[in-house]
Amino acid sequence: MRRTLSSRYQSLRLPPARRWAAALGCLLGIALPVSAETLVKIGSVAPLTGPQAHLGRDNDNGVRLAVEQANARGVTLGGATVRFEVVSEDDQADPKTATIVAQKLIDAGVVAVVGHLNSGTTIPASKRYHEAGLAQISPSATAIAYTAQGYANAFRVMANDSQQGGALGRFAVESLKAQRIAIVDDRTAYGQGLADEFEKAARAAGGNIVGREYTTDRATDFTAILTSLKGRGPDVIFFGGMDAQGAPIARQMLALGLRATLMSGDGLQSTEFLKLAGRAAEGVIASTPGLPPAKMPGGEAFRRDFVAKYGVIQNYAPYAYDATNTLIAAMEQADSSEPARIVASLRGIRRDGVTGPLAFDNRGDILGGAVTLYRVTGGQWQVLEAPPPLPTPEAPPGPGAVFVQQLINGLTVGALYALVALGYTMVYGILGLINFAHGEVVMMGAMIAVSVVAALTGVLPGAWALAAGIGVAAVACMALAASIERIAYRPLRNAPRLAPLITAIGVSIVLQNAAMLVWGRQYRTIPETLDNTPFNLAGAAVSPLQLLILAGTAIVLAALWWLVHRTRLGRAMRATSQNRDAARLMGVDTDAVIRATFVIGAGLGAFAGVMVSAYYGLAHYYMGFMLGLKAFAAAVLGGIGNLGGAVLGGVVLGVIESFGAGYIGWLTGGFLGSHYQDVFAFLVLIAVLVLRPSGLLGSKGADRA
Amino acid sequence: MSARYIILLALTGVALTALPWLVDGLLGITWVRILSFAALYVLLALGLNITVGYAGLLDLGYIAFFAVGAYTYALLSSPQFGLHWPLWATLPLAAAAAGLFGLLLGTPLLRLRGDYLAIVTLGFGEITRIFINNLNAPVNITNGPQGVNQIDALRIGGIDFSQALHWGEVTIPAAYMPCLLFLALAGAVAWASTRLEVSRVGRAWQALREDPLAAAACGIDLRRYKLLAFALGASAGGLAGALFAGFQGFISPESFSLTESIMILCMIVLGGMGHVPGVIAGALILAILPEALRALGPLQQALLGHVWVDPADLRMLVFGLALVAMTLLRPAGLWPRGHAGRGD
């Protein structure tokens, strides 16, 4: 007894009388012991908590909607009426948890599973389902490895990386007629997989790949790799990765005057990208597997039902919905809910879902695998009908101009490192303690400023709002630092070495997670407060913001120098750092001096944090960690305890990073690339500590190393 | 070794063997799986305890050794290179590889103390992860971010630890098998740790931890003992890594992040640095905690009608608070070493 989709959709819309009858029938079915209803459990697993909870719950809702509709219309298997029940599990996007909950589902007696969401969880879990003989349909895992395992029970309803990357690659070469293609990926399983497939398809179609660069899924600074690519004059840049990185890439391309079209996959094709990229999103092309909503049969009905019950569709709910309906259809086709027969039935199923026609090839991938291209036009994603003409790229800058650009970028980042490094070095000079939590205080400054600027944007003109943001952030961070010193560090001033360090790590974790709870996990944008159009300087594109950072840092440093060398407080600080006990004997209130040191460091850090978020246009609860580590490396490089050293170290480190990421591929003949960008700061740190522990300008605490 | 000691050991062995049945009976079979992971964490905590608790060398990049062990096993027992070496070769090799890595890492760091050592080891941990994530070009060694899949299950002799064991009339369910193996190994390493603590090496470590200058003045070769601490701690981590790879069948660089290193550090700080029972307690508490925290979601829903705080988000916050609170209020940990006995 096989029903086609169209009859099913018609019968979903039960007239009221029949709905009441159905409800009464269900009630009676539960109440009366003589009912012939069998319970069939379907497993649904996705990250229901954590950073991808919004996507995971979306999937789960898709499954639930399908099951609800199936139950409403009534399904009979093997002569008995069947009621479906969804058993939901949370895998937290973690492979370990995924295998545990897979076992939970198997033990709960589900007949099949819709899940998981990520490739990294789907693959290890699939082994469990395979051993248990349960059918598994993933609505959104795209890694090729999932179906390459050869498990007969593994299926997916979304085009995999090969299908999506392939379509994009061919499109770039054949339709867009790109002459010089550059590729960047974020070194995650998804980003790298997609980018590799894109490259393969583009090369096969005869495309010219001029460069391949790498980044990470936590980075916000892409200026080094973009500058390096700019020197090769690309007209298309393909990015394999998510919207949280794609957005700053688009913005920095604009700031660097890099006039290439940005292309990407479904990771970018979201409203979040539009929000984060702002003006820079215009003209970006991205794809999504499946048919466009207008062409989806039953898409409107699904959208209406889903939105009415669960609110906005995040991303993959239609796929989860289709996966579940395909499962139910397979059961109906086999007229059984036995797991082995479901698997066999799925292999031969053919139906239409809301995302397009559904059938599986012999590996379990979706047959055909439609991919739709979208382009940002007028600030919205529109389906791309005809390939747009590519803007003629201007002549690429010569190597000299690239060098100057990398230098300026490096100096700017270096100035930011210097500001943060000062906080580390001052505290170390006085207390001999690495204030691990300093990076997080900087992050707090950035987050507070983002909130303040966002609140004041309509009320005050741009520059004033930014200034207000800096002011409020500085005050808040100073208070925060003073409290941390009082609560966490002062009681441990005479404790053994390890204790304050462990506490510092603990405070840093607490701050990071508190920020995550308050401001959420998604990236926050800072509204554009200044006109940031770059101008030309010796062939390099310099933005006003970069100059502001350099000028601001210089002013702040001058003020600090004046404080330390020309005021009483400064003299007290210098005395305390030389010998705390002697200073106390001389009448210096060392507690107050220590507090002042933390406070000043925090003020500098807050300014740096605001500048960082203004420069990249983003603030994120995790941004303090790497920034703090690198700034510490800068402080050590210059000579810990030495103020001038911190500044020098910061600038030198910024420049090393910029040149390193830009030229390392060329230097090592392609053996190492920009994927090792983050390693530079650590290597510098290790080299300094092993070879010249006192740093470039000599340190105060040379006995520590 | 007194008779009392041997009886104690035997009783512990019996208790460990009975544990999976007990847990299954009380809490269900999912908790047996959770217990398996917890046993791996106990192994890791014991390893870090050697480096941090005994020798006082704060290592924030410990997870790198876990990764080295896991990848060594994975590369020798998976389709990646087409090698399928037997367990009696790969487990020791994984531990040895990690131990060697520990030696290599420790050598340039011998002069560093305290804060610097912590940051540099953190750096090394991150560097290791970045290299593992990117060693898929030009030569594909680790398969990069895609990870290594279809790793062989743990098999000794004829016993496959991913399948149920039928021994005459007795059947041991498949979920119990890895649990028993991990508990046995964790127990063995715990026992070895306690013996190490009271040995000459352990006393040298204690001296090194409490006052390196005085220790050197007494003729203790600091260099050798520091390297030994690094190497032994790393080997334990490597062993745990190999077991993890065989158990899960799939590993990827995202399982070896800094967060894990910090969590293991939390475990020993919470439990009691340098005291094996405390370390085990800390490891079990923190390994079980995420599962226990999950109950907070429905609890909030029931009490407040809305989930205000996502339980998964709370995990790290609780870790951080625990670190701060323990160090300020009870630096010796929840279960510190009793003061009667080895001079404290």
Side-chain angles (χ1 to χ4, degrees):
Chain A
M1 181 183 64
R2 200 189 154 198
R3 281 150 152 250
T4 60
L5 179 66
S6 42
S7 67
R8 184 177 303 132
Y9 267 109
Q10 281 157 21
S11 60
L12 271 178
R13 323 269 292 124
L14 287 174
R18 282 183 71 183
R19 249 182 260 160
W20 279 110
L24 190 62
C26 286
L27 267 170
L28 287 174
I30 297 166
L32 298 177
V34 286
S35 77
E37 195 176 77
T38 346
L39 187 66
V40 171
K41 297 192 200 161
I42 296 180
S44 161
V45 55
L48 299 177
T49 57
Q52 301 183 43
H54 60 294
L55 294 171
R57 274 186 229 140
D58 198 45
N59 279 23
D60 195 54
N61 292 337
V63 174
R64 287 182 180 276
L65 185 65
V67 161
E68 202 180 279
Q69 290 176 346
N71 280 338
R73 72 177 156 84
V75 173
T76 10
L77 296 177
T81 342
V82 152
R83 192 169 72 82
F84 294 107
E85 184 186 291
V86 178
V87 180
S88 293
E89 287 295 343
D90 174 15
D91 69 5
Q92 298 180 334
D94 171 41
K96 282 196 288 292
T97 320
T99 47
I100 293 179
V101 299
Q103 194 61 48
K104 260 195 194 170
L105 282 176
I106 296 170
D107 297 333
V110 301
V111 304
V113 174
V114 175
H116 299 226
L117 188 142
N118 315 83
S119 302
T121 44
T122 306
I123 294 173
S126 64
K127 189 169 164 204
R128 308 279 161 218
Y129 301 129
H130 173 68
E131 284 161 8
L134 297 180
Q136 178 193 9
I137 309 185
S138 173
S140 51
T142 57
I144 307 172
Y146 169 51
T147 45
Q149 294 175 106
Y151 293 157
N153 65 312
F155 302 90
R156 67 172 128 216
V157 291
M158 177 183 269
N160 66 20
D161 285 338
S162 170
Q163 290 162 316
Q164 200 185 168
L168 285 164
R170 283 187 292 277
F171 177 79
V173 177
E174 290 161 9
S175 308
L176 277 185
K177 308 250 188 286
Q179 300 295 314
R180 303 173 68 82
I181 303 176
I183 304 176
V184 179
D185 78 64
D186 68 354
R187 300 312 294 170
T188 59
Y190 164 70
Q192 181 235 340
L194 194 61
D196 280 349
E197 293 302 318
F198 175 87
E199 186 172 355
K200 247 193 334 211
R203 282 190 196 277
N208 173 25
I209 313 286
V210 299
R212 179 91 195 242
E213 298 286 347
Y214 310 91
T215 175
T216 68
D217 62 340
R218 298 259 195 222
T220 43
D221 190 318
F222 309 96
T223 48
I225 56 175
L226 288 175
T227 304
S228 171
L229 286 177
K230 187 179 173 192
R232 291 173 242 183
D235 48 12
V236 163
I237 295 184
F238 179 80
F239 174 61
M242 302 298 290
D243 46 19
Q245 274 68 49
I249 286 179
R251 291 174 82 123
Q252 284 162 30
M253 279 169 66
L254 203 62
L256 287 171
L258 181 53
R259 282 192 348 187
T261 303
L262 183 63
M263 276 185 75
S264 186
D266 59 301
L268 218 75
Q269 209 271 320
S270 65
T271 26
E272 191 70 12
F273 174 75
L274 297 174
K275 197 173 75 157
L276 293 174
R279 251 190 329 133
E282 199 65 24
V284 171
I285 298 177
S287 67
T288 298
L291 296 174
K295 298 210 187 115
M296 288 187 196
E300 254 322 295
F302 164 73
R303 191 166 292 270
R304 196 178 36 233
D305 294 333
F306 189 90
V307 171
K309 203 166 157 85
Y310 298 113
V312 66
I313 296 176
Q314 288 294 332
N315 206 339
Y316 306 119
Y319 298 95
Y321 179 79
D322 268 352
T324 319
N325 277 329
T326 309
L327 211 49
I328 296 175
M331 285 191 241
E332 290 179 299
Q333 184 180 257
D335 199 27
S336 155
S337 62
E338 219 187 302
R341 301 192 47 194
I342 298 178
V343 174
S345 174
L346 273 173
R347 299 219 76 94
I349 198 128
R350 202 167 271 274
R351 58 179 287 268
D352 284 323
V354 299
T355 56
L358 285 163
F360 301 109
D361 67 14
N362 61 346
R363 296 212 307 188
D365 282 314
I366 187 169
L367 206 57
V371 172
T372 310
L373 288 159
Y374 293 82
R375 184 166 183 259
V376 181
T377 322
Q380 292 298 322
W381 287 109
Q382 314 274 8
V383 179
L384 188 62
E385 303 293 349
L390 286 179
T392 29
E394 25 179 58
V402 169
F403 182 84
V404 172
Q405 182 79 68
Q406 299 280 32
L407 183 65
I408 294 176
N409 295 339
L411 286 174
T412 312
V413 176
L416 295 169
Y417 286 158
L419 284 172
V420 182
L422 280 168
Y424 280 110
T425 221
M426 288 199 309
V427 168
Y428 193 88
I430 291 209
L431 274 185
L433 162 79
I434 299 178
N435 182 10
F436 232 110
H438 187 55
E440 308 308 330
V441 171
V442 172
M443 176 272 297
M444 283 293 202
M447 302 301 280
I448 293 173
V450 163
S451 297
V452 168
V453 172
L456 290 178
T457 304
V459 177
L460 288 177
W464 286 105
L466 189 62
I470 294 175
V472 173
V475 168
C477 287
M478 289 185 193
L480 182 62
S483 331
I484 293 174
E485 191 274 323
R486 180 64 191 83
I487 298 173
Y489 296 153
R490 199 188 303 180
L492 297 173
R493 246 187 239 159
N494 296 316
R497 221 37 277 154
L498 243 42
L501 188 59
I502 294 178
T503 314
I505 296 172
V507 171
S508 140
I509 296 175
V510 168
L511 285 179
Q512 212 182 82
N513 285 276
M516 181 188 73
L517 288 172
V518 170
W519 280 283
R521 287 184 189 260
Q522 68 276 21
Y523 282 61
R524 296 300 207 96
T525 35
I526 194 164
E528 295 206 22
T529 45
L530 307 157
D531 176 19
N532 206 24
T533 12
F535 56 90
N536 195 312
L537 181 74
V542 179
S543 68
L545 200 50
Q546 283 179 312
L547 290 179
L548 178 66
I549 290 174
L550 289 169
T553 308
I555 294 171
V556 163
L557 289 177
L560 185 67
W561 186 91
W562 177 82
L563 177 77
V564 170
H565 290 281
R566 290 277 184 271
T567 63
R568 272 189 81 165
L569 175 61
R571 204 158 57 230
M573 284 167 71
R574 279 180 283 141
T576 315
S577 80
Q578 278 181 17
N579 189 325
R580 203 192 310 161
D581 291 326
R584 215 178 315 138
L585 288 172
M586 290 283 110
V588 171
D589 182 353
T590 46
D591 281 345
V593 165
I594 291 172
R595 189 166 51 240
T597 311
F598 271 88
V599 161
I600 295 171
L604 294 172
F607 177 68
V610 178
M611 285 294 109
V612 166
S613 57
Y615 186 45
Y616 297 120
L618 299 170
H620 187 232
Y621 76 94
Y622 200 72
M623 65 189 267
F625 174 67
M626 262 306 173
L627 181 62
L629 273 180
K630 292 183 181 177
F632 176 71
V636 171
L637 172 63
I640 193 97
N642 186 322
L643 294 184
V647 176
L648 181 66
V651 169
V652 168
L653 185 65
V655 170
I656 289 178
E657 265 193 357
S658 192
F659 282 134
Y663 292 110
I664 189 172
W666 172 78
L667 280 174
T668 58
F671 183 66
L672 296 175
S674 44
H675 18 14
Y676 297 99
Q677 193 172 1
D678 278 343
V679 164
F680 291 120
F682 294 124
L683 284 178
V684 163
L685 183 63
I686 293 169
V688 168
L689 285 176
V690 172
L691 301 172
R692 193 184 155 85
S694 56
L696 290 173
L697 292 186
S699 80
K700 197 210 76 75
D703 63 331
R704 293 260 60 215
Chain B
M1 290 222 217
S2 63
R4 218 183 84 176
Y5 187 75
I6 296 179
I7 292 174
L8 190 66
L9 276 185
L11 281 178
T12 317
V14 168
L16 283 181
T17 318
L19 202 55
W21 277 272
L22 196 66
V23 167
D24 190 8
L26 285 177
L27 299 166
I29 198 144
T30 318
W31 281 90
V32 177
R33 257 192 123 64
I34 295 173
L35 183 64
S36 307
F37 277 116
L40 284 180
Y41 275 118
V42 168
L43 253 180
L44 283 170
L46 287 169
L48 187 62
N49 181 46
I50 294 176
T51 319
V52 180
Y54 290 165
L57 304 166
L58 187 54
D59 183 351
L60 285 180
Y62 188 70
I63 206 70
F65 307 128
F66 187 57
V68 166
Y71 269 90
T72 308
Y73 179 86
L75 295 180
L76 294 175
S77 313
S78 72
Q80 176 72 5
F81 289 139
L83 299 170
H84 298 275
W85 288 12
L87 192 71
W88 56 260
T90 51
L91 265 190
L93 264 176
L100 191 65
F101 201 64
L103 271 179
L104 287 173
L105 242 53
T107 310
L109 306 182
L110 290 173
R111 279 189 302 163
L112 301 178
R113 272 185 263 169
D115 310 15
Y116 283 151
L117 183 65
I119 300 273
V120 171
T121 48
L122 191 155
F124 268 126
E126 281 294 284
I127 291 175
T128 308
R129 188 185 57 80
I130 292 173
F131 267 93
I132 290 179
N133 198 32
N134 292 305
L135 275 178
N136 62 328
V139 181
N140 187 357
I141 304 177
T142 61
N143 209 23
Q146 303 287 347
V148 180
N149 194 16
Q150 298 187 302
I151 302 173
D152 295 346
L154 302 162
R155 248 187 295 262
I156 305 181
I159 308 177
D160 185 337
F161 282 92
S162 62
Q163 311 291 339
L165 181 67
H166 303 279
W167 204 16
E169 292 158 11
V170 181
T171 304
I172 305 181
Y176 292 15
M177 295 294 290
C179 191
L180 286 169
L181 177 66
F182 296 169
L183 284 174
L185 285 171
V189 171
W191 177 80
S193 276
T194 50
R195 301 314 300 162
L196 261 179
E197 191 183 351
V198 295
S199 71
R200 224 178 140 176
V201 175
R203 283 201 301 277
W205 281 336
Q206 195 181 339
L208 161 63
R209 178 184 74 227
E210 298 298 335
D211 194 333
L213 202 56
C218 287
I220 294 176
D221 184 351
L222 294 185
R223 213 186 126 90
R224 182 212 290 196
Y225 287 106
K226 280 188 184 180
L227 285 177
L228 194 61
F230 268 114
L232 283 179
S235 313
L239 178 67
L243 294 174
F244 173 69
F247 180 44
Q248 195 162 265
F250 167 77
I251 53 172
S252 72
E254 55 181 347
S255 303
F256 307 116
S257 64
L258 174 69
T259 315
E260 301 283 330
S261 280
I262 294 189
M263 194 161 79
I264 302 170
L265 179 69
C266 256
M267 287 175 185
I268 61 174
V269 169
L270 187 71
M273 265 196 295
H275 187 225
V276 168
V279 164
I280 295 176
L284 286 175
I285 293 175
L286 286 186
I288 312 275
L289 192 66
E291 294 299 316
L293 278 181
R294 272 200 221 212
L296 274 184
L299 193 68
Q300 281 177 68
Q301 189 78 36
L303 286 179
L304 307 168
H306 177 69
V307 181
W308 286 105
V309 178
D310 207 326
D313 294 346
L314 276 182
R315 184 173 139 232
M316 285 311 285
L317 186 65
V318 169
F319 283 163
L321 284 172
L323 270 182
V324 178
M326 290 308 292
T327 322
L328 283 177
L329 301 170
R330 201 180 155 85
L334 284 175
W335 190 354
R337 195 185 302 124
H339 285 274
R342 9 215 177 290
D344 211 11

